[in-house]
Amino acid sequence: MIRLVFVVAVALALGCGGTEASKLDLTAVNQAQFAAGKPKDVDPTVLKAQILLDRARFSPGLINGRLSENFAKAVTAFQSANGLPSNGKLSQETWDKLVATSASPVLITYEVTRQDLRGPFTKRIPARMERMARLPRLGYRNSTEKLAERFHISEQLLRRLNPGIGFRKAGTMLVVPDVGRDGPPAAVASVEVDKGARLVRVLDPLGKWLAVYPASIGSDEKPAPSGMAEIKRVVHNPTYHYNPDFAFQGVKTKRPFTLAAGPNNPVGSVWIDLSIESYGIHGTPEPAKISTTFSHGCIRLTNWDAEDLASMVQKGMKINFKG
């Protein structure tokens, strides 16, 4: 299946057709077309564009069918990589290029399996890290959260696409995004962390962008590194070790502790360890906050983007911190 790319707009000036009460179902989204206007609600055209961008590895972060900064950044990155005016705005030219590169529907039907419903789930996860340390696993809270993350979509939008349908019975048919990405690119040479733009880019030997992901990158209090680093290893399903020297806000204990593994662990489902001590690229339990908040110095991606990146990198690969 050819999965390439796309486009669409900045939250300030955008032409994306749709109305406040846009119909949102499989047919409406799959047949959505470009039209002038600024959508006020979850919009079929925006949703279609987000899914196509995600497939093409110009990630919009959490798919929610709404205009957002991450969506505009994904559009800009796609445009830059494809020789189009990189203004983050949807145009007829960009839309035409998008629909011409992928004939596959963006929404499909999916049958819930027993594996989708299998835990162990962690129904209640405390906010304070010290209390999290008492739990044996930081798993998904329920099957809805697990399914939503599998399809890179917000739980709210998953429910809206499937009104009146539960998510706890095997054999249930759901409408979901087709976010299957092609296998890892063969020519991955390096990774670039753009601290100013809050983006992580995967580059080929000539500097071409093979993937672009929105990221939460450091803060004034806990800045991200500068210069060059290397990848030391990739750890799937990592635990998290808290050192009191980190002095995170809200953590009162002066003793170290370890948080159990699971997708709701503070570093998510994968940790890409860097040659700079205690720094890494990792997932998150809160995909909606990616790029809109700061991290504790590391580079934070959605779990699915972190896992995608982990599938491309190798020990010794260069990481360039830009800005």
Side-chain angles (χ1 to χ4, degrees):
M1 180 183 323
I2 298 175
R3 302 192 184 226
L4 233 150
V5 73
F6 163 86
V7 59
V8 79
V10 173
L12 297 176
L14 181 82
C16 264
T19 66
E20 190 167 357
S22 296
K23 185 177 181 181
L24 201 71
D25 59 24
L26 186 146
T27 300
V29 176
N30 285 339
Q31 296 183 359
Q33 296 295 323
F34 170 76
K38 184 177 179 180
K40 299 179 181 179
D41 189 30
V42 176
D43 181 77
T45 300
V46 174
L47 177 54
K48 184 174 182 176
Q50 287 179 329
I51 297 168
L52 289 167
L53 285 164
D54 187 284
R55 284 182 187 172
R57 290 192 166 94
F58 292 88
S59 173
L62 186 68
I63 293 172
N64 60 11
R66 298 178 182 273
L67 300 180
S68 67
E69 181 182 352
N70 283 343
F71 184 32
K73 290 199 296 187
V75 172
T76 301
F78 169 76
Q79 291 171 325
S80 297
N82 286 274
L84 297 170
S86 54
N87 56 12
K89 299 178 182 179
L90 179 63
S91 66
Q92 187 69 60
E93 178 187 16
T94 312
W95 180 260
D96 289 346
K97 188 173 183 65
L98 166 65
V99 297
T101 56
S102 179
S104 301
V106 293
L107 290 184
I108 58 174
T109 55
Y110 173 79
E111 183 176 352
V112 176
T113 68
R114 292 184 179 181
Q115 180 63 36
D116 294 325
L117 306 177
R118 187 172 299 151
F121 296 117
T122 309
K123 294 182 179 180
R124 294 180 179 84
I125 299 177
R128 291 186 58 182
M129 293 178 72
E130 299 98 318
R131 293 180 179 177
M132 285 186 201
R134 302 172 187 171
L135 299 177
R137 178 167 173 77
L138 291 168
Y140 294 113
R141 291 173 175 85
N142 50 50
S143 57
T144 306
E145 184 182 35
K146 184 177 181 179
L147 284 162
E149 182 148 310
R150 173 172 182 167
F151 296 106
H152 310 177
I153 190 174
S154 70
E155 291 182 51
Q156 294 81 3
L157 184 53
L158 181 62
R159 292 189 183 97
R160 184 163 174 177
L161 288 171
N162 298 279
I165 297 177
F167 303 94
R168 298 182 180 181
K169 184 177 179 181
T172 300
M173 300 303 297
L174 301 179
V175 173
V176 299
D178 179 5
V179 290
R181 294 167 172 170
D182 292 334
V188 175
S190 63
V191 176
E192 178 180 82
V193 178
D194 190 328
K195 295 189 288 185
R198 297 191 196 178
L199 291 171
V200 172
R201 304 184 185 102
V202 179
L203 312 178
D204 76 0
L206 298 178
K208 179 183 176 182
W209 298 354
L210 300 176
V212 180
Y213 310 112
S216 293
I217 304 174
S219 65
D220 291 338
E221 181 184 1
K222 302 284 185 180
S226 298
M228 298 294 294
E230 291 185 358
I231 291 176
K232 291 174 60 177
R233 58 177 180 159
V234 173
V235 181
H236 293 278
N237 204 31
T239 55
Y240 177 77
H241 304 285
Y242 178 77
N243 185 330
D245 293 340
F246 297 162
F248 288 172
Q249 185 176 3
V251 180
K252 297 180 180 180
T253 183
K254 301 300 181 182
R255 296 182 178 182
F257 57 83
T258 298
L259 301 183
N264 276 314
N265 181 290
V267 294
S269 59
V270 66
W271 169 268
I272 302 173
D273 199 25
L274 303 183
S275 56
I276 303 172
E277 186 177 359
S278 77
Y279 283 95
I281 304 173
H282 62 83
T284 181
E286 299 179 296
K289 293 185 177 181
I290 288 299
S291 188
T292 65
T293 59
F294 294 98
S295 73
H296 292 298
C298 290
I299 300 86
R300 186 185 304 156
L301 310 176
T302 64
N303 277 339
W304 53 88
D305 286 341
E307 289 166 2
D308 194 45
L309 177 62
S311 73
M312 303 182 199
V313 299
Q314 300 177 8
K315 182 179 179 180
M317 185 174 288
K318 300 296 184 183
I319 308 290
N320 178 25
F321 286 87
K322 175 183 176 181

